[in-house]
Structures are given as structure tokens and as C-alpha cells.
């Protein structure tokens, strides 16, 4: 499928991913991808081959970005039909049908079906906010992306625990305020935290994101990586962010001397 032949809905547009000449279908009516997804796709220790799955895949941005780092088969699961359809068309637009498969469905219903259903790596950018009293004020697409309506944090962790093979990795981006919950659930489901990196808008602000990677049935040994600062004092992206946004690097620095 070419850009000229892709069928866009009236509210949809094509945006650049700024790497490998990729395009993605987006709409102001649904939740568009943000820096969270980009950082997760460049943080995870993705295997060179095997099977990778992205939970809560939205419009498919993480599978698209992961395809630039691995030859693995990449799956994506999204509960909202409209978003799943947008992701499927973006995969076709970029000619990646043989490498990426997007399905519409509920992650709570995903179960292993023999050896082929066990994954080497799972990524997830889940809804951040617990559902409290009262209905979210956003439209249904944005509400489900932000609030735990379709799935809870425990649903996500339990799904990963079911589908990862021993030694497989789960990588997640979330809010620091939920870190205690995240670590508690990971250990409860035998997913041992291995790498944690906090993300700060600026050097003098509190962290507003946290990247966490865990290993199925791993041994206790967690690394706290150097914080990632997003903006310089001139309100520009730091070099590390520019490098991953514009394709000069395919992954974030891991904290080792490079």
C-alpha cells in the first residue's frame, strides 16, 4: 500500500515518525502517540529475532518503531476496533505486513496455546490512571487510553506473566507515582525488575515518567540507570532525545560507558 492509495477517514492524517521514512495514521479524535511510546520502544532490550508482543498497542506506533531494531515477528493487541484498524493500515502503509501483525482483542483473554504462543519480549504503554469515582470527561478513545477502563495494571502484568517464556522480558512505561504498585505486582507474578530509568522534563524537575524492564523468573538484581532529561535549559531536546527521534540511534543509552 502506498501513501497515495491508503484510505483515510475524514478526521485522519498521516504523520512522520522521523525515522526510516515511516508514516503513521493519526487522528485528533483518538489518543495520538507521545514521547512515552517513543522512549519505551527505544528503551526495551529487544531480541534480534524471536517473537515480540506489544500490549495496548493503540495506533501501532511501538511495533512500527521496534521493527527498526529487530528481525523478530512483532504482534500488537488493541481492544478498541478503531485504533486497531488504524494500526493495521499503518503497518500496510509501511509495507511491514510480513513482520507486524495487529489484532483487535482484549489482553485479559490472551492465553498461551502451545510453545508458539510464548514470547521473548513484551512491551506495554498502559493506561496510567486508576478508574476512580465519576466518568472520565474525555471521549471514549482518549478515556480508555488514559484510565484503567479496559484493563488494570494487574491485568497487564498478569497477561505478560502468562505469555512470556522464562527469561523473557517485559518493558513498561508508566508514571512514577505508580512505581510501588508496579514493583509489587511484578514480583507477585514472578517478573523480576532488572532496569529502571526515570524521565524528567528538565534537570530541576521531578520525574514524570519511569521506564521499567523485568525478566520472567529472573534473579533479584536491579539497576537504576542515570535519569533521562528531556529538555535543555534552552527548551530544546537533549542530544540523546534528538538522536532517537531522528534515527541516529535506535536505542537509548543503557547507562554503560559508550
Amino acid at each position: 500500500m502506498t501513501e497515495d492509495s491508503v484510505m483515510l477517514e475524514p478526521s485522519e492524517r498521516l504523520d512522520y515518525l522521523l525515522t526510516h521514512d515511516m508514516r503513521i495514521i493519526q487522528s485528533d479524535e483518538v489518543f495520538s502517540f507521545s514521547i512515552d511510546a517513543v522512549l519505551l520502544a527505544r528503551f526495551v532490550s529487544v531480541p534480534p529475532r524471536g517473537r515480540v508482543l506489544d500490549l495496548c498497542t493503540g495506533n501501532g506506533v511501538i511495533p512500527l518503531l521496534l521493527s527498526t531494531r529487530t528481525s523478530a515477528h512483532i504482534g500488537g493487541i488493541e481492544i478498541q476496533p478503531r485504533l486497531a484498524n488504524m494500526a493495521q493500515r499503518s503497518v500496510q502503509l509501511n509495507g511491514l505486513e510480513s513482520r507486524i501483525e495487529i489484532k483487535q482483542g482484549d489482553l485479559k483473554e490472551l492465553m498461551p496455546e502451545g510453545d508458539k504462543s510464548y514470547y521473548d519480549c513484551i512491551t506495554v504503554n498502559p493506561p496510567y490512571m486508576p478508574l476512580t469515582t465519576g466518568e472520565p470527561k474525555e471521549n471514549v478513545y482518549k478515556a480508555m487510553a488514559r484510565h484503567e477502563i479496559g484493563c488494570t495494571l494487574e491485568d497487564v502484568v498478569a497477561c505478560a506473566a502468562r505469555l512470556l517464556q522464562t527469561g523473557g522480558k517485559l518493558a513498561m512505561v508508566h508514571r512514577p507515582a505508580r512505581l510501588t504498585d508496579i514493583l509489587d505486582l511484578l514480583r507477585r507474578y514472578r517478573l523480576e525488575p532488572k532496569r529502571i530509568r526515570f524521565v524528567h522534563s528538565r534537570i530541576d524537575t521531578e520525574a514524570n515518567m519511569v521506564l521499567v524492564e523485568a525478566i520472567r523468573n529472573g534473579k533479584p538484581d536491579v539497576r537504576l540507570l542515570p535519569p533521562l532529561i528531556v529538555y535543555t535549559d534552552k527548551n530544546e531536546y537533549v542530544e540523546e532525545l534528538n538522536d532517537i527521534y531522528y534515527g541516529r540511534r535506535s536505542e537509548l543509552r543503557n547507562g554503560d560507558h559508550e
Side-chain angles (χ1 to χ4, degrees):
M1 183 180 290
T2 65
E3 182 177 327
D4 293 333
S5 63
V6 65
M7 299 297 293
L8 295 179
E9 297 296 329
S11 68
E12 293 178 348
R13 67 182 186 273
L14 288 176
D15 288 342
Y16 278 108
L17 282 179
L18 303 181
T19 182
H20 293 73
D21 295 320
M22 284 186 169
R23 304 295 296 273
I24 188 169
I25 299 170
Q26 302 215 94
S27 169
D28 289 337
E29 293 181 355
V30 304
F31 191 82
S32 298
F33 81 88
S34 62
I35 189 174
D36 310 40
V38 177
L39 294 181
L40 177 61
R42 298 320 191 192
F43 166 79
V44 59
S45 303
V46 66
R49 290 170 295 278
R51 303 181 73 239
V52 176
L53 177 65
D54 183 48
L55 305 175
C56 308
T57 202
N59 65 353
V61 61
I62 291 175
L64 290 174
L65 292 172
L66 289 178
S67 73
T68 69
R69 298 185 56 203
T70 178
S71 297
H73 179 272
I74 304 169
I77 185 78
E78 170 54 46
I79 195 170
Q80 298 189 72
R82 179 177 178 182
L83 282 169
N85 178 260
M86 290 171 68
Q88 290 162 351
R89 285 183 287 132
S90 288
V91 169
Q92 295 168 356
L93 174 66
N94 290 284
L96 293 168
E97 301 97 316
S98 64
R99 299 184 54 204
I100 300 175
E101 182 180 13
I102 305 293
K103 293 183 178 181
Q104 188 273 320
D106 188 339
L107 63 82
K108 297 189 294 295
E109 299 174 358
L110 291 180
M111 298 292 172
E113 299 175 0
D115 291 344
K116 67 183 181 68
S117 288
Y118 284 91
Y119 290 89
D120 302 285
C121 178
I122 291 177
T123 55
V124 62
N125 180 8
Y128 292 150
M129 303 178 192
L131 192 60
T132 56
T133 56
E135 291 295 322
K137 293 182 173 58
E138 306 99 331
N139 68 42
V140 64
Y141 304 109
K142 295 180 180 180
M144 290 190 71
R146 294 184 174 118
H147 300 267
E148 293 182 339
I149 299 172
C151 65
T152 65
L153 179 58
E154 183 165 8
D155 291 332
V156 167
V157 173
C159 177
R162 288 195 303 271
L163 298 180
L164 279 172
Q165 65 177 345
T166 294
K169 295 179 179 179
L170 168 66
M172 176 189 304
V173 61
H174 217 293
R175 291 291 181 253
R178 301 294 303 278
L179 183 59
T180 302
D181 296 333
I182 293 167
L183 299 180
D184 175 62
L185 285 167
L186 289 175
R187 280 200 152 174
R188 197 185 311 172
Y189 283 89
R190 299 186 61 81
L191 293 162
E192 187 63 32
K194 287 291 185 176
R195 295 196 302 143
I196 298 174
R197 190 171 189 186
F198 290 100
V199 181
H200 304 246
S201 292
R202 291 173 176 77
I203 197 167
D204 58 350
T205 62
E206 290 186 11
N208 59 358
M209 278 182 274
V210 63
L211 297 156
V212 181
E213 187 175 80
I215 294 182
R216 179 77 167 123
N217 292 329
K219 296 180 180 179
D221 181 25
V222 65
R223 296 176 61 198
L224 296 179
L225 302 181
L228 174 60
I229 311 301
V230 174
Y231 294 105
T232 69
D233 56 5
K234 296 180 179 179
N235 210 34
E236 299 171 343
Y237 279 142
V238 298
E239 181 182 1
E240 186 172 9
L241 265 293
N242 272 319
D243 285 346
I244 65 167
Y245 261 112
Y246 291 97
R248 293 189 290 270
R249 290 181 64 96
S250 63
E251 59 187 289
L252 290 170
R253 297 174 181 137
N254 62 17
D256 296 327
H257 295 295
E258 299 184 9

